[in-house]
């Protein structure tokens, strides 16, 4: 069987039942981003590793905090709706991609899908910039969270130490700088397998730690009432929805499917099944155990609750191990979300006519990726309150990309009858999440305004 090279959307790639005779061919305008970063060599299992790393990430440790705005019933209901809706919408994107691939036009990027289905302006001016903001924002958030976890270990080990948060952010950024040089998305498959194991490990640790503290006299008195007046409660609900949407968010489904070797039919569904088995175990156990143990005192990162005023509520070694698992997985998550940036940089500065590892391509790749990683690290160090900004990015980015556009793409591609249930289900999802996204964006802006008085560059928080 001939090896199928990834191509840009200008390259037609036909998938036939008897694909032993398939030919992959490139037009003269094939770009280096698709050719070198989005290599189509992976299996459905590799796809499962990529999906799990991009979705089941340390932001899940903020789910108990989201529950503090929602309570038990609404919190669990939002988790179930988020899981069902994203699993459904990600499958819709996959079906649309498979449909176009079978008709000789394999789309490798989110902006390619938007350009082909909605028109070039949608891809160039909305979907492309939105996806870039979401993914690069995720890189910044991972770098900041990695630095915070490093600082948590340091403070616990050396309470009188004087190292600042931004110093740990820079250390984590150096790790990211090394991983950023991995050439292609497909090259991350082994790292993402380790990432899958690590997310199970720290989720189990977070769950066990919460249950231990909640079952002892060390934890706070359990109070599940929702704090604040009516206005704060209402905006808190939409902040929580934005947190949950960001936690379930992906934003790179087409790029992940692009790593699968042809024929792609059915492989993405298997990968999603792997991902969501892990997701259900981790999201629900961490959210329920964390909220049960700490109630409305749950912190924005549940690991913070394991230390009370500098006094560990669990054995120190347990807290160290949990944070180390989290830090290592954050590096994998960060480099996964760096791939769309790498693809854009490779497209801009790479030469598809030269070998991938020729000096002509290696030098600009090294320089551009290093600058992108250094910029993300600088932003994370300067803006340790980036979590507020990330909520805004989630509302404006993850909700459109992962909840709204998939159903729109499906209806426009397959044109189901207006009398069919699937048409109206998709319309309902689009309308409901458009409304939720708009209100969540307002809530995120409000939170930024409220917290602005505490903002300070390079703050040691």
């Amino acid at each position: 069987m001939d090896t199928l090279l990834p191509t840009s959307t200008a390259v037609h790639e036909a998938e036939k039942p008897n694909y032993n005779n398939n030919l992959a061919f490139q037009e003269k305008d094939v770009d280096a981003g698709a050719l070198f970063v989005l290599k189509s060599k992976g299996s459905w299992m590799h796809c499962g590793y990529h999906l799990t790393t991009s979705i089941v990430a340390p932001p899940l440790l903020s789910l108990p905090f989201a529950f503090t705005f929602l309570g038990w019933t609404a919190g669990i209901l939002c988790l179930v709706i988020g899981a069902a809706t994203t699993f459904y919408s990600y499958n819709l994107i996959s079906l649309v991609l498979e449909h176009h691939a079978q008709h000789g036009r394999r789309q490798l990027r989110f902006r390619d899908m938007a350009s082909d289905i909605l028109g070039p302006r949608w891809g160039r001016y909305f979907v492309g910039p939105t996806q870039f903001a979401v993914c690069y924002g995720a890189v910044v958030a991972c770098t900041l969270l990695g630095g915070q976890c490093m600082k948590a270990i340091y403070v616990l080990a050396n309470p009188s130490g004087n190292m600042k948060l931004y110093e740990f952010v820079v250390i984590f950024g150096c790790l990211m700088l090394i991983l950023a040089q991995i050439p292609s998305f497909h090259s991350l498959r082994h790292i993402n397998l380790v990432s899958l194991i690590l997310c199970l490990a720290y989720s189990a640790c977070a769950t066990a730690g919460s249950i231990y503290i909640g079952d002892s006299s060390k934890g706070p008195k359990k109070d599940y009432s929702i704090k604040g007046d009516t206005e704060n409660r209402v905006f808190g609900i939409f902040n929580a929805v934005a947190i949950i949407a960001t936690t379930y968010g992906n934003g790179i489904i087409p790029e992940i499917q692009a790593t699968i070797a042809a024929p792609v039919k059915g492989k993405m569904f298997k990968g999603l099944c792997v991902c969501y088995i892990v997701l259900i175990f981790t999201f629900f156990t961490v959210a329920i155990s964390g909220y049960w143990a700490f109630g409305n005192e749950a912190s924005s990162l549940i690991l913070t609750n394991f230390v009370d005023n500098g006094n560990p509520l669990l054995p120190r070694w347990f807290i160290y191990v949990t944070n180390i698992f989290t830090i290592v997985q954050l590096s994998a998550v960060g480099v996964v979300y760096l791939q769309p940036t790498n693809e854009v940089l490779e497209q801009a500065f790479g030469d598809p006519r030269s070998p991938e590892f020729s000096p002509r391509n290696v030098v600009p790749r090294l320089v551009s990726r290093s600058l992108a990683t250094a910029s993300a690290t600088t932003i994370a160090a300067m803006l340790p309150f980036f979590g507020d900004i990330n909520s805004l990015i989630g509302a404006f980015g993850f909700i459109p990309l992962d909840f709204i556009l998939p159903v729109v793409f499906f209806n426009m591609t397959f044109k189901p009858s207006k009398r069919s249930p699937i048409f109206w289900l998709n319309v309902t999802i689009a309308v409901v999440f458009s409304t939720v996204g708009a209100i969540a964006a307002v809530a995120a802006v409000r939170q930024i305004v409220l917290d602005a008085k505490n903002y300070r560059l390079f703050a040691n928080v």
Side-chain angles (χ1 to χ4, degrees), residues 12-194:
H12 302 295
E13 181 184 286
E15 292 192 335
K16 302 176 182 178
N18 181 16
Y19 55 89
N20 284 331
N21 296 322
N22 269 357
L23 294 174
F25 56 91
Q26 298 169 244
E27 292 181 357
K28 293 180 180 179
D29 61 345
V30 62
D31 63 84
L35 186 62
F36 299 145
V37 178
L38 302 178
K39 295 180 178 180
S40 301
K41 293 182 175 182
S43 67
W44 66 266
M45 187 61 76
H46 298 151
C47 173
Y49 302 158
H50 300 323
L51 286 165
T52 304
T53 299
S54 61
I55 300 174
V56 188
L60 71 89
L61 298 172
S62 66
L63 289 175
F65 177 68
F67 272 43
T68 65
F69 299 106
L70 299 169
W72 277 116
T73 304
I76 293 174
L77 184 62
C78 284
L79 274 189
V80 172
I81 291 173
T85 305
T86 51
F87 185 79
Y88 173 73
S89 64
Y90 294 156
N91 272 294
L92 292 190
I93 290 183
S94 178
L95 290 173
V96 172
L97 290 167
E98 288 177 7
H99 172 81
H100 285 281
Q102 289 168 352
H103 287 78
R105 189 171 179 83
R106 187 172 181 185
Q107 299 158 331
L108 302 181
R109 295 165 283 213
F110 221 131
R111 64 182 183 273
D112 296 343
M113 291 187 73
S115 296
D116 282 359
I117 297 169
L118 302 177
R121 291 186 177 181
W122 280 93
R124 181 176 299 174
Y125 300 115
F126 177 70
V127 173
T130 300
Q131 186 195 37
F132 181 83
V134 164
C135 293
Y136 200 68
V139 175
V140 175
C142 286
T143 307
L144 175 58
L145 188 53
Q148 289 173 336
C149 290
M150 285 183 172
K151 184 188 174 187
I153 294 174
Y154 174 76
V155 170
L156 191 59
N158 184 18
S160 59
N162 55 10
M163 286 187 70
K164 309 299 183 184
L165 174 61
Y166 64 83
E167 296 177 82
F168 294 103
V169 169
V170 171
I171 293 170
F172 187 87
C174 292
L175 172 61
M176 285 290 298
L177 185 65
I178 297 169
L179 293 176
Q181 309 307 325
I182 295 174
S184 69
F185 207 151
H186 178 66
S187 303
L188 298 176
R189 61 195 183 280
H190 302 303
I191 290 176
N192 288 343
L193 170 59
V194 174

Side-chain angles (χ1 to χ4, degrees), residues 65-381:
F65 177 68
F67 272 43
T68 65
F69 299 106
L70 299 169
W72 277 116
T73 304
I76 293 174
L77 184 62
C78 284
L79 274 189
V80 172
I81 291 173
T85 305
T86 51
F87 185 79
Y88 173 73
S89 64
Y90 294 156
N91 272 294
L92 292 190
I93 290 183
S94 178
L95 290 173
V96 172
L97 290 167
E98 288 177 7
H99 172 81
H100 285 281
Q102 289 168 352
H103 287 78
R105 189 171 179 83
R106 187 172 181 185
Q107 299 158 331
L108 302 181
R109 295 165 283 213
F110 221 131
R111 64 182 183 273
D112 296 343
M113 291 187 73
S115 296
D116 282 359
I117 297 169
L118 302 177
R121 291 186 177 181
W122 280 93
R124 181 176 299 174
Y125 300 115
F126 177 70
V127 173
T130 300
Q131 186 195 37
F132 181 83
V134 164
C135 293
Y136 200 68
V139 175
V140 175
C142 286
T143 307
L144 175 58
L145 188 53
Q148 289 173 336
C149 290
M150 285 183 172
K151 184 188 174 187
I153 294 174
Y154 174 76
V155 170
L156 191 59
N158 184 18
S160 59
N162 55 10
M163 286 187 70
K164 309 299 183 184
L165 174 61
Y166 64 83
E167 296 177 82
F168 294 103
V169 169
V170 171
I171 293 170
F172 187 87
C174 292
L175 172 61
M176 285 290 298
L177 185 65
I178 297 169
L179 293 176
Q181 309 307 325
I182 295 174
S184 69
F185 207 151
H186 178 66
S187 303
L188 298 176
R189 61 195 183 280
H190 302 303
I191 290 176
N192 288 343
L193 170 59
V194 174
S195 168
L196 186 154
I197 296 168
L198 288 171
C199 75
L200 289 170
Y202 68 68
S203 296
C205 289
T207 301
S210 296
I211 293 172
Y212 175 82
I213 295 171
D215 198 39
S216 69
S217 58
K218 297 180 178 180
K221 182 181 178 181
K222 295 181 179 65
D223 181 3
Y224 304 115
S225 62
I226 299 174
K227 296 180 179 179
D229 55 24
T230 302
E231 179 186 348
N232 285 326
R233 288 184 182 187
V234 170
F235 279 106
I237 289 170
F238 289 101
N239 266 330
V241 169
I243 290 170
I244 291 173
T246 302
T247 306
Y248 277 107
N250 180 281
I252 53 174
I253 291 292
E255 285 78 5
I256 290 176
Q257 186 152 328
T259 66
I260 301 175
V264 299
K265 187 173 179 61
K267 293 179 181 178
M268 191 67 165
F269 178 77
K270 293 179 181 178
L272 280 167
C273 288
V274 171
C275 172
Y276 273 75
I277 289 170
V278 176
L279 181 150
I280 289 170
F281 171 77
T282 54
F283 280 35
F284 284 82
T285 56
V286 170
I288 292 171
S289 64
Y291 187 57
W292 170 79
F294 302 104
N296 57 21
E297 297 297 323
S299 299
S300 57
L301 188 70
I302 198 62
L303 302 185
T304 307
N305 287 103
F306 293 174
V307 179
D308 182 23
N309 293 322
N311 299 313
L313 304 180
L314 295 165
R316 290 176 184 269
W317 66 265
F318 187 88
I319 298 175
Y320 294 154
V321 168
T322 305
N323 276 284
I324 289 170
F325 287 159
T326 306
I327 290 165
V328 177
Q329 207 234 357
L330 276 166
S331 65
V333 176
V335 78
V336 162
Y337 277 103
L338 195 60
Q339 296 309 301
T341 302
N342 289 348
E343 183 272 321
V344 170
L345 294 172
E346 201 83 28
Q347 183 179 17
F349 302 113
D351 182 3
R353 294 166 297 182
S354 300
E356 179 181 4
F357 298 107
S358 65
R360 168 64 184 83
N361 284 316
V362 169
V363 172
R365 181 181 303 134
L366 179 64
V367 172
S368 61
R369 293 187 184 189
S370 298
L371 288 174
T373 307
S375 299
T377 303
T378 303
I379 294 170

